[in-house]
Amino acid sequence: MGAPPTELKKGLKQRHLTMIAMGGVIGAGLFVGSGVVIGETGPATFLAYALTGVLVILIMRMLGEMAVANPSTGSFADYAREALGSWAGFSSAWLYWYFWVIVVGFEAVAGAKIIQFWLPEVPLWVLSLILMALMTATNLFSVSSFGEFEFWFAGVKVAAIIVFLALGTFFVLGLWPGQSLDFSNLWAHGGFFPNGVGTIFTAGVVIIFSMVGAEIATIAAAESPDPGHAIAKATNSVILRIAVFFVGSIFLLTAILPWNSENLAASPYVSAFQTMGIPFADHIMNAVVLTAVLSCLNSGLYTASRMLFVLAARREAPVALMKVGRRGVPFAAILSSSVVGFLCVIAAAISEDKVFLFLLNSSGAVILFVYLLIAVSQVVLRRRTPDAKLTVKMWLFPGLSIIVILAIVAVLVQMLFDPDTRSQLLLSLLSWAVLLVVFFATKRIRDRGPVETPEAAPTGDAHRVLVLANETVEGTELLDELRAIDRNGDAEYLISVPANPIDTGQAMHSGAVYIWDRTVQAAQERVDRTVSLLQSENLDVRGELGDYRPLRALTDSVESFRPDQIVICTLPLDRSAWLRFDVVDRAKEMYPRIPVRHVIVHPEPAEAQQ
């Protein structure tokens, strides 16, 4: 048999998961971008971070509610698909992938600029390509190598923030040598709101992008043994991390430094350490920011490749992207995702002000679109979900859910009216429009159906019958067909069931790490049940799992079994992935000398709902 691809290796240990969860929400945007926000908002910046953090926490709670109610579902894209239709699931998954691959390229360039602090003579594009190559190799080597790198990267980020929180607290409380209790920077330079109260709301446009990544921990928790407990824990940990790492550290920055200090824009944490008299502060924080950038690059490539893997499993991307190497990593998905990162690096070297800027802007608002789809999906699915399954609930539904949707729309509107972010919104909308055009164009082509070819007449005296089927393998129509082509009742049968995630239903119910073992299990159960059923009718039958590609499974079985009759069993056209990809017609072209029968099984209503 053509075996299914090697399963994705579960190489992340608990210490990896814990540290990734802690550091995942801390990006380079906090260490560098926060200075720009402080310069535009003033001492009240920590309130802007708190408000934006509440929005992110509420989105995570909405996602958590859906994940607990449907704990076997592998991605938020499935919630959008179930709530709003296939177009929403397709576009949200591809938008999320696009966002992360652009982030990968951007972080490679950002990391190279940081390294130039120590190696100014080395060209930026050379350093960028080296970083891309290193992180791609790390992801390709093994899942555990990714986890180990991310463990230490995240550890450095978390340690840096904790050290800053401790030292900064001592400094402002007057527990520092030569320093007295002093919070005067919060009001001494134009007041607490020097640029107006409205700035704490407009700042959310920049801040929300520095908090991206919190949703990954919630999605992963949905696949734990106790989803309800894990989701609640993940949501609570997001609350703690945002309150401490973001709000706490930003508060200390504005208390230590004047909000209008020229040094803030470059690196606020470096300036704060220098104010406290910490030696080599610029070198220390530069190294910390570099680890934050590499962490984002590393985890971004991991996230993008797994999203692409799941898209391929749903047949919304080329099935070849599901190929898994001997080390248990989806090398095709990793390489495909890293290619975009390499192209971004090349674009930055050739045309930083045009092509590279265009790529960055075209993904600028994408994550907000994804969050909006999550929020709308939660409102729709909440009304469809039995109360017994809602063990984790969105607080104050539907009021808070509607507020979240309005808040996201408000951020998008703010981007439209802000000259600095308008192009990001418009180009991101263009990206979404392109994906929708691709979805509806391919759907229209597939819905036309395969070209009808004359059916081969039943032989009536078949001796070796090969049956290719999956979800239809136990249909009564198939049994009737077998009786018709085996007039004498003495034929030998081989039941070949392709171990394909979409045909077994596991593509819609399992995350990337678990998809293959559950697919094989589901396919094997179908083989066993069908063999038992046919043997109960005194038929000479055996079964086997086929390759995850139906035509490859057919070829393998034909070569080993040498049938004189082939039966391919599918669902009706509107529900059959095999018919959309012309499996029956292509089988007839491949084996013109062997009669190929096509049997359509119409499932019972109860089966159709499963």
Side-chain angles (χ1 to χ4, degrees):
M1 136 187 142
T6 305
E7 181 189 349
L8 290 183
K9 187 176 181 181
K10 307 172 184 65
L12 297 180
K13 300 177 182 179
Q14 186 57 47
R15 65 183 179 89
H16 296 149
L17 295 172
T18 301
M19 189 57 70
I20 290 171
M22 289 182 64
V25 77
I26 306 172
L30 172 62
F31 291 109
V32 180
S34 57
V36 177
V37 181
I38 294 173
E40 295 178 353
T41 308
T45 300
F46 71 92
L47 294 180
Y49 272 86
L51 285 173
T52 307
V54 169
L55 177 61
V56 172
I57 289 165
L58 292 176
I59 294 171
M60 297 309 102
R61 184 71 179 188
M62 298 170 88
L63 183 57
E65 176 188 291
M66 294 185 290
V68 173
N70 300 276
S72 60
T73 304
S75 167
F76 55 82
D78 291 329
Y79 309 134
R81 180 182 291 106
E82 183 180 352
L84 305 173
S86 298
W87 67 269
F90 176 89
S91 60
S92 62
W94 274 108
L95 283 172
Y96 198 67
W97 174 83
Y98 182 61
F99 172 80
W100 279 110
V101 292
I102 297 298
V103 166
V104 164
F106 171 77
E107 296 293 347
V109 174
K113 289 181 178 179
I114 294 170
I115 295 176
Q116 281 190 324
F117 178 79
W118 298 292
L119 303 172
E121 69 281 358
V122 181
L124 184 70
W125 66 270
V126 172
L127 294 173
S128 301
L129 290 177
I130 290 174
L131 292 180
M132 275 297 307
L134 286 175
M135 292 302 99
T136 301
T138 298
N139 274 266
L140 285 172
F141 187 75
S142 69
V143 179
S144 57
S145 66
F146 156 79
E148 200 64 34
F149 269 84
E150 194 60 21
F151 173 81
W152 291 107
F153 288 160
V156 170
K157 292 189 294 184
V158 171
I161 289 292
I162 291 175
V163 168
F164 173 76
L165 289 171
L167 298 182
T169 300
F170 291 152
F171 186 84
V172 298
L173 291 179
L175 302 177
W176 196 261
Q179 181 70 16
S180 59
L181 179 69
D182 186 6
F183 288 92
S184 61
N185 282 326
L186 295 177
W187 59 79
H189 304 277
F192 191 62
F193 299 104
N195 296 322
V197 177
T199 55
I200 67 172
F201 299 100
T202 57
V205 174
V206 177
I207 295 172
I208 196 168
F209 295 107
S210 68
M211 297 183 179
V212 172
E215 69 281 350
I216 298 174
T218 309
I219 295 169
E223 294 184 354
S224 65
D226 185 357
H229 176 73
I231 289 291
K233 184 177 180 181
T235 304
N236 291 337
S237 66
V238 169
I239 296 173
L240 181 63
R241 292 198 301 273
I242 289 177
V244 175
F245 296 151
F246 283 89
V247 180
S249 65
I250 296 298
F251 174 78
L252 288 174
L253 281 176
T254 55
I256 294 171
L257 297 166
W259 67 271
N260 52 1
S261 170
E262 295 181 357
N263 297 326
L264 268 173
S267 181
Y269 290 86
V270 170
S271 299
F273 277 133
Q274 288 175 335
T275 299
M276 288 186 280
I278 304 297
F280 306 108
D282 51 349
H283 290 276
I284 294 172
M285 286 309 300
N286 227 43
V288 170
V289 175
L290 179 61
T291 61
V293 167
L294 294 180
S295 172
C296 191
L297 199 166
N298 194 35
S299 60
L301 186 55
Y302 175 87
T303 302
S305 65
R306 270 44 177 193
M307 180 58 72
L308 199 57
F309 179 92
V310 173
L311 277 165
R314 288 155 173 74
R315 292 189 182 172
E316 293 176 342
V319 71
L321 295 173
M322 296 181 69
K323 290 182 178 178
V324 179
R326 289 176 297 177
R327 295 183 178 275
V329 296
F331 67 89
I334 292 173
L335 290 174
S336 298
S337 299
S338 66
V339 163
V340 180
F342 279 108
L343 291 176
C344 286
V345 169
I346 294 172
I350 297 175
S351 180
E352 182 175 3
D353 295 334
K354 293 182 179 180
V355 178
F356 186 58
L357 185 61
F358 172 83
L359 291 172
L360 288 180
N361 286 341
S362 66
S363 67
V366 159
I367 198 65
L368 288 173
F369 299 156
V370 173
Y371 285 168
L372 183 61
L373 287 172
I374 290 174
V376 174
S377 299
Q378 185 268 335
V379 172
V380 174
L381 294 180
R382 173 66 172 265
R383 302 186 185 280
R384 298 180 187 173
T385 306
D387 196 63
K389 297 181 68 176
L390 294 171
T391 54
V392 171
K393 294 183 179 181
M394 174 61 175
W395 303 296
L396 300 177
F397 180 85
L400 270 184
S401 296
I402 295 174
I403 290 174
V404 169
I405 294 172
L406 294 177
I408 297 174
V409 172
V411 173
L412 293 171
V413 171
Q414 172 63 27
M415 292 184 70
L416 179 62
F417 286 97
D418 187 340
D420 294 331
T421 58
R422 185 181 299 128
S423 61
Q424 294 183 27
L425 175 63
L426 296 179
L427 289 175
S428 296
L429 284 171
L430 177 63
S431 301
W432 197 356
V434 169
L435 285 174
L436 291 176
V437 169
V438 170
F439 171 79
F440 285 109
T442 54
K443 183 177 185 297
R444 184 175 181 181
I445 293 172
R446 291 176 182 176
D447 288 348
R448 291 175 182 173
V451 178
E452 291 294 332
T453 55
E455 286 283 358
T459 62
D461 58 354
H463 297 288
R464 299 176 67 81
V465 181
L466 170 60
V467 177
L468 185 73
N470 198 301
E471 66 259 70
T472 56
V473 77
E474 297 166 275
T476 56
E477 293 90 341
L478 175 59
L479 294 177
D480 293 340
E481 178 67 20
L482 296 184
R483 296 187 186 102
I485 64 178
D486 182 15
R487 184 172 47 205
N488 300 321
D490 58 0
E492 182 181 351
Y493 295 89
L494 174 63
I495 310 296
S496 178
V497 176
N500 186 286
I502 196 76
D503 300 324
T504 59
Q506 298 307 307
M508 301 302 179
H509 299 291
S510 300
V513 173
Y514 300 96
I515 201 168
W516 279 120
D517 58 350
R518 292 178 182 170
T519 291
V520 170
Q521 179 183 358
Q524 186 62 56
E525 289 173 355
R526 286 179 178 170
V527 169
D528 295 341
R529 290 196 304 269
T530 304
V531 169
S532 297
L533 177 64
L534 296 181
Q535 286 178 343
S536 69
E537 298 201 3
N538 298 317
L539 297 179
D540 182 6
V541 59
R542 63 185 176 89
E544 68 177 17
L545 293 185
D547 191 276
Y548 69 103
R549 297 159 293 186
L551 288 174
R552 179 72 254 181
L554 178 65
T555 299
D556 293 341
S557 296
V558 167
E559 291 177 355
S560 64
F561 187 62
R562 302 295 180 183
D564 54 25
Q565 181 83 52
I566 295 174
V567 177
I568 301 178
C569 196
T570 73
L571 291 170
L573 175 60
D574 61 337
R575 295 190 55 197
S576 174
W578 288 12
L579 292 184
R580 290 199 302 271
F581 287 88
D582 300 337
V583 167
V584 175
D585 291 330
R586 292 166 67 184
K588 292 176 180 179
E589 294 175 359
M590 292 166 59
Y591 301 105
R593 297 180 180 276
I594 305 175
V596 177
R597 294 288 298 172
H598 175 208
V599 178
I600 296 178
V601 170
H602 298 276
E604 297 296 329
E607 294 175 353
Q609 295 171 2
Q610 293 177 354

